[in-house]
Amino acid sequence: MSGREHLSEDVVLDAIYGIAEQDAEEHLRSCPDCAGRVSEWKQTRALASGTGELSNELTGEFLAAQRREIYQRLSEKPPRVRLWAPVLAAACALTVGVFVYHPGKEPKPVANAEVNDSQLFADVFSMEQSFEPAAAASVRVLFEEQQQ
Ligand SMILES: [Zn+2]
């Protein structure tokens, strides 16, 4: 493993138990990220096993930092949620409204328009078919009457 790559979880575990290779130990000394992971693991292990492996000062510092981070996350997130909640709710309401409203409203006029168009054409066609002969006949009758 090169010094630049972060330690894998296995190497971090090795480092916790002090059996990591030399370059891993060197990486830990130069990389706060991995050193933090190791101390986090150590903290977890210490808490799990009940052995106060870390000094109270370190533990308190670590827990305080963890608590600050948690509080920061807690205090950061709600405003975002509160800001987005009405927008999301409005968007949801709109979406639901559109989905609920449209099938009832839009397809019907479209369907009616199609039906109306085809019905209109059918009506016009049937009217032409039924009326033209009659009209033509009556016109013919008129013509015949006038001619006679
Ligand atoms: Zn690292």
Side-chain angles (χ1 to χ4, degrees), residues 3-7 27 31-35 37:
R4 280 184 185 174
E5 282 172 26
H6 283 309
L7 302 180
H27 179 91
C31 179
D33 281 354
C34 290
R37 280 161 70 204

Side-chain angles (χ1 to χ4, degrees), residues 5-80:
E5 282 172 26
H6 283 309
L7 302 180
S8 70
E9 212 78 336
D10 286 343
V11 179
V12 168
L13 284 170
D14 286 350
I16 292 161
Y17 291 97
I19 53 169
E21 286 172 32
Q22 188 66 33
D23 52 352
E25 295 287 349
E26 277 169 24
H27 179 91
L28 281 174
R29 257 175 257 131
S30 60
C31 179
D33 281 354
C34 290
R37 280 161 70 204
V38 169
S39 65
E40 210 172 312
W41 270 104
K42 278 183 179 171
Q43 174 70 27
T44 306
R45 195 180 65 135
L47 286 174
S49 62
T51 61
E53 194 170 300
L54 296 173
S55 71
N56 283 335
E57 202 185 327
L58 264 176
T59 308
E61 217 170 278
F62 181 81
L63 289 176
Q66 210 169 38
R67 225 173 284 141
R68 273 199 299 274
E69 202 178 327
I70 288 166
Y71 284 141
Q72 203 178 354
R73 280 179 196 170
L74 282 174
S75 61
E76 264 177 18
K77 276 196 174 178
R80 260 184 235 157

